[in-house]
Amino acid sequence: QVQLVESGGGLVQTGGSLRLSCTASGRTFSEYIVGWFRQAPGKEREFIGGITRSGASTEYPDSVKGRFTISRDNAGNVVYLEMNKLKPEDTAVYYCAANNGIWPSPRDSSYAYWGQGSQVTVSS
């Protein structure tokens, strides 16, 4: 199995940027697809993107496409979520998750391993 830890969250103003890291330990990280999710208070958990095992392909929903970028460094066991042009509605707890599938699934039930979450707050 793999253990995941997110870092890099915090408070940022509207229009600003943040980069979250998802650092893995345990089994070989390159065996896992990684998805990023977020959950705002009172809302369901939302898929915001994912990256394949090699990092060659990524997937994003329309809500963040063009503003968020996911990348990975398998040698360093880390996946990054670069967030630009942040809006107040991006405020949420952000989670990374991993599974050993082929393509990043938007369904949170597809992921077996989860980090603890990192709070991102965007002030207006």
Side-chain angles (χ1 to χ4, degrees):
Q1 61 180 14
V2 63
Q3 294 80 41
L4 305 173
V5 177
E6 300 97 340
S7 61
L11 175 65
V12 64
Q13 291 185 334
T14 296
S17 299
L18 275 178
R19 187 177 77 165
L20 302 184
S21 299
C22 174
T23 303
S25 60
R27 292 196 58 176
T28 305
F29 191 42
S30 60
E31 296 178 357
Y32 295 89
I33 287 170
V34 173
W36 282 94
F37 293 78
R38 67 185 179 187
Q39 189 165 23
K43 295 188 176 182
E44 293 186 353
R45 192 153 48 188
E46 174 190 14
F47 175 75
I48 57 169
I51 189 164
T52 55
R53 297 175 186 181
S54 67
S57 297
T58 52
E59 176 85 8
Y60 305 97
D62 289 343
S63 58
V64 304
K65 194 174 293 183
R67 298 191 300 124
F68 290 9
T69 302
I70 298 172
S71 60
R72 71 188 296 165
D73 172 6
N74 283 337
N77 288 348
V78 62
V79 171
Y80 300 105
L81 174 64
E82 183 78 32
M83 303 183 290
N84 298 309
K85 300 179 182 178
L86 284 163
K87 308 172 183 180
E89 51 264 43
D90 294 318
T91 295
V93 177
Y94 283 69
Y95 300 89
C96 62
N99 73 28
N100 56 6
I102 297 175
W103 188 259
S105 170
R107 298 183 303 177
D108 56 6
S109 59
S110 298
Y111 295 84
Y113 307 104
W114 290 82
Q116 82 288 354
S118 183
Q119 176 70 47
V120 172
T121 303
V122 184
S123 63
S124 57

